[in-house]
Amino acid sequence: MQQRTIITIGFVVLFYGAVPAAFGSTDYVISSIVAALTIAGTAVAWALLGNLGGMVSFGHAAFFGVGAYVSALLTMNAGWPVFAAIIAGGAGASIASVAIMPALRLRGPYFALAVLAYAGIFRILATEMEGITRGAAGLLSIPRLPTILGFDLGTNIGSYYVILTIVLAAMAAYAWIRRSEIGFALLAMHETEDATRILGVPSTRLKAMMLVLSAFITGIVGAFNAHHISFLDPDYAFSGVWTVLPIVAAIFGGFRTVSGPFIGALAIYLLDQFVFKSLLPTGHQIILGAALGTMILLSPDGLVPLLGRGLGKKRHAAT
Amino acid sequence: MQHPALEVREVQAGYGPINVLWDVSAAARAGTTTTILGPNGAGKTTLLRAIMGLVKVRSGAIEIDGQPRTGNATWDMVRDGVILVPEGRLIFRDMTVEDNLLMGAYPARSRPRAASNLDDVYQLLPRLKERRRQLAGSLSGGEAQMVAIGRGLMEEPQIFLIDEPSLGLAPVVVDEIFAILRKQKELGRTIVLVEQNTHMALSLADHVYLMQSGRIILSRTAGEIDINHLHDLYFARETAT
């Protein structure tokens, strides 16, 4: 427990202090880290549903896009302040997730397929509802993050602090639920759902709660991204990238741990941008695929458990 | 007249297009042990699952203390203190023995007393205390059955439904399990016991039902039971009268 506290404090100091101090003046690096954190936030939300809810989703792009559009439209058409609109974006994604709830009765690949089909609906809605969303033309000049106490959050470094806080808050919520009796019951449910039911666990209700929460977090991240880059169109907001990269990141980092999706997203995205891309300017994702394949063979539980095992071994050798 | 703790009346239930229970009526009085006997496929487990809301009841009624509970969700039955120890135990193999028991404290009704209930369970089942940190999947069949019973006790059962606790266990272990159940009976707990092991089950019963092909074909108090007649019925050598 103490060791965990030290790690957490070191983590916070590193990301709030050291990273901006080191890269704050290099716009390209810091904006790549912001993009990585955007993936990380979605990856945390995806893993929360995948690990606690036991449901693999291929539809998180829907929540990401709905959050983005709700927040962008509220600021542009209704004059909402940006932060209030971002939270409304999360709420909008949660409401959108209600439509997929009947699929919670499905298991494994059937749920995954249903969500894949469901996600397609929202891209079509965003394209066709031209009166509201301006269709394929997209939304331009979405209000940027505001200036608070003289600090402009609309800059890359400002956005970095905002998305970092969002992601860490999501991880804290995830960790808290995991330790609560709800998390306990959800993890037990993976083994035998029948057994948890006879213990009085309202299993479908708990799974629905995880779905709504996962959609909420993803919606907030999507909304943040809309204000950060100040542009949206249906193909971008509902792009399969928002589904695939978080899954890759979560699996690479270790989707059964709380920090795995975060570390996986940073590792994968930054390696891809700064190493693979310079090695192989076109088709650099091939190396990414190979890296993921290697990780699955090497440690099916991902990078974080692998690191933990390495540490454990060293400690054994020392004593 | 006082209502029975649990009563089912003319219940029909089954899976999909297949009906399993045909007009099943039975009652369990508070503080007694009611035993449901019958061969494989007679519908005993389905009856317990229908009571728990795990199988849809098509017609008929289920009552607790005279209050209608037909069609209730499983967690509502648990909230009312109707607790099932399932056939095949269904314990969480990847969790420790203690975590398995603590899962039994999930319902809000018994959660505040989880710590003292855990002590009680360990007192009743000292072997589980020895193995509390062990993964449940590494236990023997008898110990796994003890975990399932202990987990049920953590839920503070008002009506304790126990489905074939002797299944797959060696005779000496069956004796041990029934000694545990006898202790519960002596404490005045209301028990509904489903068994194929006629001999052991009768040693505990106050009232006996015999099921066959989804119907109750015999209902007797323990004193009225003629074991030879029961065996004849059990093996369908004659029809019930």
Side-chain angles (χ1 to χ4, degrees):
Chain A
M1 195 61 208
Q2 256 184 340
Q3 194 191 358
R4 184 170 290 176
T5 316
I6 294 165
I7 291 175
T8 309
I9 291 169
F11 203 73
V12 168
V13 170
L14 175 71
F15 279 97
Y16 279 99
V19 168
F23 303 114
S25 52
T26 339
D27 246 7
Y28 174 55
V29 177
I30 204 80
S31 70
S32 292
I33 296 176
V34 170
L37 286 173
T38 306
I39 302 289
T42 311
V44 169
W46 181 87
L48 183 146
L49 183 65
N51 184 25
L52 291 185
M55 287 168 296
V56 173
S57 156
F58 286 144
H60 267 55
F63 307 138
F64 190 92
V66 169
Y69 264 98
V70 167
S71 184
L73 290 171
L74 281 175
T75 51
M76 294 174 78
N77 297 346
W80 281 44
V82 170
F83 279 112
I86 287 179
I87 291 170
S94 289
I95 292 167
S97 74
V98 172
I100 190 68
M101 276 186 188
L104 287 178
R105 290 168 179 280
L106 303 174
R107 269 153 226 237
Y110 302 100
F111 177 80
L113 283 176
V115 177
L116 186 63
Y118 154 88
I121 298 168
F122 289 94
R123 183 204 291 241
I124 294 167
L125 281 178
T127 313
E128 297 302 324
M129 289 166 67
E130 284 184 16
I132 303 171
T133 65
R134 290 181 217 164
L139 300 171
L140 299 170
S141 326
I142 298 168
R144 289 185 174 275
L145 294 167
T147 301
I148 288 177
L149 300 173
F151 191 73
D152 185 2
L153 297 173
T155 59
N156 273 328
I157 190 74
S159 298
Y160 167 78
Y161 284 117
V162 173
I163 185 66
L164 180 65
T165 307
I166 291 172
V167 176
L168 292 184
M171 285 166 69
Y174 180 4
W176 181 77
I177 290 171
R178 210 174 124 124
R179 264 185 281 116
S180 74
E181 65 272 356
I182 291 178
F184 201 51
L186 281 163
L187 289 172
M189 204 159 73
H190 296 184
E191 276 199 62
T192 52
E193 189 162 344
D194 248 11
T196 43
R197 281 180 70 194
I198 60 171
L199 295 177
V201 176
S203 47
T204 309
R205 213 182 292 167
L206 292 188
K207 281 203 230 171
M209 277 167 57
M210 292 306 109
L211 176 67
V212 168
L213 180 62
S214 180
F216 181 76
I217 296 169
T218 310
I220 292 228
V221 173
F224 157 82
N225 191 56
H227 296 286
H228 173 57
I229 62 165
S230 191
F231 163 79
L232 272 187
D233 73 16
D235 282 347
Y236 173 77
F238 296 97
S239 164
V241 165
W242 306 120
T243 294
V244 173
L245 274 185
I247 298 178
V248 171
I251 290 174
F252 189 85
F255 86 105
R256 295 206 181 281
T257 62
V258 174
S259 59
F262 177 88
I263 291 173
L266 284 176
I268 282 222
Y269 191 81
L270 298 178
L271 273 177
D272 188 48
Q273 287 295 306
F274 294 112
V275 182
F276 303 159
K277 223 175 189 173
S278 57
L279 287 176
L280 204 66
T282 48
H284 52 98
Q285 288 94 339
I286 289 177
I287 311 180
L288 197 62
L292 181 66
T294 312
M295 178 59 72
I296 289 170
L297 289 176
L298 205 66
S299 166
D301 292 332
L303 184 63
V304 167
L306 185 70
L307 291 174
R309 241 187 297 154
L311 272 173
K313 259 184 210 156
K314 265 183 214 142
R315 218 175 296 139
H316 262 292
T319 48
Chain B
M1 201 189 108
Q2 225 197 335
H3 291 291
L6 171 68
E7 186 173 13
V8 296
R9 272 202 313 268
E10 294 172 2
V11 162
Q12 300 222 17
Y15 307 89
I18 298 154
N19 203 45
V20 176
L21 301 179
W22 301 92
D23 294 327
V24 171
S25 297
R29 292 212 337 276
T32 68
T33 298
T34 306
T35 298
I36 302 165
L37 298 172
N40 253 342
K44 309 183 297 295
T45 295
T46 305
L47 177 58
L48 294 190
R49 291 177 68 87
I51 292 168
M52 289 305 293
L54 290 161
V55 171
K56 198 172 152 53
V57 174
R58 292 189 181 141
S59 63
I62 293 169
E63 288 180 0
I64 297 171
D65 292 326
Q67 305 298 312
R69 289 288 183 276
T70 320
N72 267 17
T74 307
W75 50 83
D76 290 328
M77 298 305 284
V78 171
R79 197 192 50 211
D80 288 343
V82 183
I83 305 301
L84 173 67
V85 177
E87 183 184 20
R89 347 222 202 268
L90 294 187
I91 59 174
F92 305 107
R93 301 175 57 83
D94 289 341
M95 288 166 74
T96 64
V97 168
E98 186 150 303
D99 283 348
N100 264 275
L101 295 175
L102 287 173
M103 273 306 292
Y106 186 85
R109 193 171 63 92
S110 63
R111 206 181 291 171
R113 290 173 298 282
S116 70
N117 287 341
L118 188 64
D119 283 343
D120 291 350
V121 168
Y122 281 149
Q123 202 145 32
L124 177 73
L125 307 162
R127 223 160 351 131
L128 297 188
K129 189 168 188 178
E130 287 166 30
R131 304 198 182 282
R132 62 204 279 190
R133 303 261 167 258
Q134 208 170 313
L135 286 186
S138 67
L139 298 179
S140 71
E143 288 162 346
Q145 187 62 56
M146 287 178 198
V147 170
I149 291 172
R151 186 179 65 185
L153 290 172
M154 291 290 291
E155 298 180 83
E156 303 182 346
Q158 299 296 310
I159 301 169
F160 208 12
L161 312 178
I162 305 168
D163 197 353
E164 276 204 60
S166 73
L167 188 74
L169 300 181
V172 56
V173 184
V174 173
D175 288 347
E176 214 174 330
I177 296 294
F178 271 84
I180 294 162
L181 298 182
R182 186 162 296 115
K183 226 176 256 177
Q184 291 301 310
K185 175 185 162 74
E186 282 158 9
L187 289 172
R189 221 180 265 289
T190 311
I191 297 174
V192 176
L193 176 66
V194 155
E195 258 302 339
Q196 291 196 50
N197 187 329
T198 321
H199 178 70
M200 291 308 289
L202 285 179
S203 73
L204 221 60
D206 295 303
H207 196 103
V208 178
Y209 291 98
L210 180 61
M211 281 187 82
Q212 201 158 54
S213 310
R215 290 185 167 82
I216 301 256
I217 59 166
L218 182 81
S219 165
R220 294 279 191 280
T221 60
E224 301 169 338
I225 280 283
D226 171 353
I227 189 87
N228 292 322
H229 179 55
L230 186 76
H231 275 157
D232 286 345
L233 285 174
Y234 196 110
F235 297 111
R237 279 185 290 217
E238 67 175 87
T239 46
T241 45

